[in-house]
Amino acid sequence: MSQTVLTKDARDATRARKPIGARGSKSGGHALLIGFGALVLLLSFVRVTADAADLTSSGTINVTVALAVPIGLAALGGLWSERAGVLNIGLEGMMILGTWGGAWGAINFANPWAGVIAGALAGALGALLHAIATVTFGVDQIISGVAVTILATGVTQFLSKLTFAEMPGGNDSQSPPVPRLQTVSLPGTENALSALESRHWFLLSDVAGILRGVTTNVSLFTILAILLVPMTYFVCWRTVFGLRIRACGENPVAAESLGVNVYCYRYAAVIISGVFAGLGGAFLSLVAANVYREGQTAGRGFIGLAAMIFGNWRPSGIAAGATLFGYTDALQLRSGAQPVHALLLAVAITLAGVAIYKLIDQRHTRGAMVTGIAAVAVFVGFALSGTIPAQFTSVTPHVTTLLVLSLAAQRLRPPTTVGMPYRRGQAK
């Protein structure tokens, strides 16, 4: 990014006309809606064909939302940090701090929203340590992130022994039950959507199940988390503050030459990253389980990194990636092997569509052949097998993570200097 281009983009952002990243955002939103519609149509077809009602049931969708929120919050945290040029492997550790802080705050102040704030502050504290190590002292960002995760695990174990073990109903690795957050439903929709869903009609019942899942018994924390997605887009792509954050990740030398304090903005981005990860952890202890347990994050911080990469460091893509991981996890938790087996048919159809698309584009003939063979193999596996072993079903989310990362790797565009240390005045 040249000095001239950066100056022009800063002027455009100040005038709120067309900042960096605004080009194509409208068409990108249309593509996302079209993709979502095609996915619902595909799942409806598979549900009818494979007789797997739970693929689009309201219960599955409701659990999907609950499982996607902590992953999505961690991924948004990674976006803030890495857009500023700081790799944040420590998201898992910041989530661990958030789970403990959320339960501690809710119990001690007898208010779940106090737990939300405490979880965010705990995550921010872990992020501050990461920022001091990487931004100020130039420590390798991967090593610092791993150290934060290890430290968070040890600190929460120690704090649990000091606090929760002394409380009735708690012990060294678990807190007493925490106050519940309020859930809400959209008035006047429950009966109508339930009746339509129970008909099991093609597409209409699936849409009703999805709508019922996202409009009934939804935690206020979940609504807050969903609102943070467009808020992140607005701040990062529509404000001068967001422009400077992204400039620090794309070309910190040019940003510094224009008077941007790169250290200050990187500190701010990493701490905001910790706040998001802490909120994701607090969600686990306040909403998902209503209790803190040791090991509660179960690697969701790392899956959040995968969702961020799948989303190509964009909020809308992150929301899609988090939903995908949450959906596969919800299927295996609620219904076991049958819906996961039915997903093989959906995967086969998707791969066949990708193969046809690549075949039309004659530059990817070899890729079309490989994808087509994979589609046939998956379909044969679906047709010849009646179910999937339970051992495989339990690792479906992790297999999904690997597949998604391998497929997304060809179209990634990470921030230019992410992971690279920056020292003030290094351009001189």
Side-chain angles (χ1 to χ4, degrees), residues 57-363:
S57 69
S58 57
T60 298
I61 301 304
N62 198 270
V63 175
T64 295
V65 174
L67 293 173
V69 166
I71 295 173
L73 286 171
L76 286 175
L79 179 147
W80 275 95
S81 180
E82 298 198 10
R83 277 291 179 178
V86 180
L87 188 66
N88 195 351
I89 299 294
L91 289 172
E92 175 75 6
M94 297 168 199
M95 286 190 75
I96 292 173
L97 292 172
T99 58
W100 188 91
W104 179 87
I107 292 172
N108 280 273
F109 294 95
N111 188 326
W113 288 107
V116 173
I117 297 172
L121 292 176
L125 181 60
L128 179 61
L129 295 176
H130 185 53
I132 292 172
T134 58
V135 179
T136 301
F137 294 103
V139 175
D140 183 276
Q141 295 172 8
I142 295 178
I143 293 175
S144 175
V146 172
V148 168
T149 301
I150 295 173
L151 180 63
T153 302
V155 166
T156 52
Q157 289 175 349
F158 173 72
L159 292 176
S160 294
K161 293 177 181 179
L162 286 181
T163 56
F164 297 147
E166 304 297 326
M167 298 179 181
N171 55 50
D172 290 352
S173 60
Q174 179 174 313
S175 73
V178 302
R180 287 182 173 271
L181 279 163
Q182 181 183 358
T183 60
V184 295
S185 300
L186 190 65
T189 60
E190 168 70 17
N191 293 334
L193 291 176
S194 177
L196 186 56
E197 180 187 1
S198 63
R199 298 281 186 176
H200 299 293
W201 289 336
F202 174 75
L203 192 58
L204 289 178
S205 293
D206 300 286
V207 172
I210 293 172
L211 290 177
R212 186 184 176 203
V214 299
T215 58
T216 58
N217 297 322
V218 179
S219 169
L220 293 177
F221 197 166
T222 300
I223 297 174
L224 171 64
I226 294 172
L227 292 177
L228 289 175
V229 176
M231 186 218 69
T232 295
Y233 169 77
F234 178 81
V235 174
C236 285
W237 275 268
R238 296 282 182 175
T239 66
V240 174
F241 175 77
L243 172 67
R244 291 174 178 173
I245 288 285
R246 291 183 292 118
C248 291
E250 295 293 341
N251 194 332
V253 174
E256 183 186 32
S257 70
L258 293 173
V260 175
N261 189 328
V262 176
Y263 282 14
C264 179
Y265 279 92
R266 285 194 168 184
Y267 259 91
V270 174
I271 291 174
I272 293 172
S273 173
V275 169
F276 276 80
L279 287 173
F283 184 92
L284 291 173
S285 58
L286 295 174
V287 178
N290 292 114
V291 68
Y292 162 80
R293 293 190 184 94
E294 188 177 312
Q296 197 166 25
T297 57
R300 286 181 174 86
F302 299 114
I303 298 178
L305 280 174
M308 178 196 67
I309 295 171
F310 171 82
N312 211 4
W313 291 265
R314 303 283 299 200
S316 58
I318 284 174
T323 302
L324 173 64
F325 296 129
Y327 180 69
T328 55
D329 205 5
L331 280 182
Q332 65 93 11
L333 285 175
R334 274 184 54 84
S335 308
Q338 183 186 7
V340 176
H341 177 258
L343 275 184
L344 291 178
L345 179 58
V347 171
I349 295 173
T350 302
L351 289 175
V354 172
I356 294 173
Y357 176 79
K358 289 185 175 183
L359 191 61
I360 294 175
D361 186 355
Q362 298 180 358
R363 295 174 299 176

Side-chain angles (χ1 to χ4, degrees), residues 2 11 18 20 22 25 33 54 62 75 90 130 154 187 206 220 232 242 259 265 270 274 295 347 376 388:
S2 67
R11 184 169 62 250
K18 195 176 185 181
I20 291 176
S25 60
L33 289 175
D54 273 334
N62 198 270
H130 185 53
D206 300 286
L220 293 177
T232 295
Y265 279 92
V270 174
V347 171
V376 173
I388 290 180

Side-chain angles (χ1 to χ4, degrees), residues 366-392:
R366 181 179 300 178
M369 293 178 59
V370 173
T371 308
I373 293 172
V376 173
V378 173
F379 179 77
V380 170
F382 166 78
L384 296 181
S385 62
T387 185
I388 290 180
Q391 295 85 349
F392 177 81

